[in-house]
């Protein structure tokens, strides 16, 4: 069970189908919807405003969600938030992705099926249209995404939805082994590849 805290009588809500890592922290007005994944050391601090993960969204390791008083910070259905990202009082559209260590500030809106690149800084109040690639400090729209790139993103999100199921089924505390076993098994994964590899196929 995640570390869950009520404040001012408001208790976080976690749908039973979601997986929230035991080392994640949820405080106050937090709503985690069906089929979501919340990674270890993620912090959803709903002590000022409401935080919402809609169906199938993922919030990965060490991400932070927070907002100013009386605001909503929302990740819509199939939203994908990469390791270490910070979301503060913003709105992430359906099937959009925020890359690793990116920051999205207050009242920014990331349009449906857009991708915010790793390490980008999205300024407060900016509106990003659907299907946009956004990168930089501060972040700017680079170009429109291709169908292949959006498909790649969606496939990656499905791997996290499957991870929620795998974690419910098989993740449990364990003692470390003292040496590597002969013929050590590997994690059973499909053929999903990093975008840099997938792009080569798109270009061929």
């Amino acid at each position: 069970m995640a570390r869950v805290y009520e404040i001012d009588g408001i208790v976080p809500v976690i749908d039973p189908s979601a997986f929230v890592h035991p080392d994640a922290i949820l405080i106050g007005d937090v709503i985690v919807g069906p089929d979501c994944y919340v990674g270890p050391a993620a912090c959803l601090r709903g002590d000022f405003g409401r935080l919402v993960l809609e169906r199938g969204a993922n919030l990965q390791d060490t991400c932070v969600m927070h907002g100013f008083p009386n605001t909503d910070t929302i990740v819509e259905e199939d939203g994908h938030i990469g390791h270490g990202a910070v979301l503060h009082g913003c709105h992430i559209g359906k099937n959009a992705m925020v890359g690793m260590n990116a920051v999205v500030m207050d009242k920014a809106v990331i349009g449906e099926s857009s991708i915010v690149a790793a390490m980008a800084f999205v300024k407060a109040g900016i509106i990003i249209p659907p299907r946009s690639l956004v990168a930089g400090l501060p972040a700017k729209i680079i170009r429109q995404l291709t169908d292949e790139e959006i498909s790649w993103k969606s496939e990656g999100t499905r791997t996290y939805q499957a991870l929620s199921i795998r974690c419910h089924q098989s993740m449990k505390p364990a003692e470390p082994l003292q040496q590597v076993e002969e013929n050590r098994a590997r994690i059973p994964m499909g053929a999903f590849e990093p975008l840099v590899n997938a792009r080569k196929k798109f270009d061929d």
Side-chain angles (χ1 to χ4, degrees):
M1 170 62 78
R3 289 180 283 174
V4 175
Y5 303 90
E6 70 174 273
I7 188 169
D8 298 327
I10 298 176
V11 180
V13 177
I14 302 173
D15 186 274
S17 65
F19 177 79
V20 179
H21 192 278
D23 289 329
I25 298 174
L26 285 69
I27 301 170
D29 196 0
V30 177
I31 302 170
V32 178
D35 305 321
C36 289
Y37 173 87
V38 177
C43 180
L44 296 86
R45 189 157 67 85
D47 49 9
F48 287 175
R50 177 166 294 172
L51 312 179
V52 180
L53 296 179
E54 295 186 359
R55 178 182 295 273
N58 67 76
L59 187 80
Q60 298 171 22
D61 322 50
T62 73
C63 288
V64 174
M65 285 184 75
H66 195 237
F68 281 112
N70 305 312
T71 62
D72 289 357
T73 305
I74 298 171
V75 180
E76 289 190 27
E77 183 175 353
D78 294 336
H80 189 106
I81 312 302
H83 315 286
V86 176
L87 307 180
H88 202 277
C90 56
H91 192 118
I92 309 301
K94 182 177 180 179
N95 199 45
M97 176 177 174
V98 176
M100 292 182 272
N101 288 310
V103 176
V104 185
M105 291 298 293
D106 301 275
K107 295 189 176 180
V109 177
I110 307 301
E112 180 174 348
S113 297
S114 289
I115 295 178
V116 176
M119 302 291 292
F121 178 78
V122 180
K123 295 192 297 185
I126 193 168
I127 308 296
I128 303 298
R131 298 177 62 100
S132 299
L133 175 62
V134 180
L137 294 165
K140 296 180 181 178
I141 298 170
I142 305 300
R143 60 175 172 81
Q144 289 286 287
L145 291 165
T146 65
D147 290 341
E148 291 85 359
E149 288 167 327
I150 293 172
S151 177
W152 172 86
K153 181 271 160 198
S154 297
E155 185 178 353
T157 300
R158 286 191 291 272
T159 66
Y160 270 88
Q161 292 164 351
L163 178 59
S164 291
I165 296 170
R166 289 169 54 211
C167 288
H168 277 302
Q169 291 176 342
S170 70
M171 197 182 85
K172 57 186 178 182
E175 292 295 324
L177 303 176
Q178 295 185 1
Q179 60 184 18
V180 179
E181 319 97 292
E182 186 176 353
N183 299 318
R184 179 176 172 86
R186 289 186 176 271
I187 297 291
M189 295 296 294
F192 185 69
E193 297 180 307
L195 184 56
V196 65
N197 291 355
R199 259 204 204 101
K200 293 177 183 176
K201 294 181 180 178
F202 300 158
D203 294 340
D204 288 344

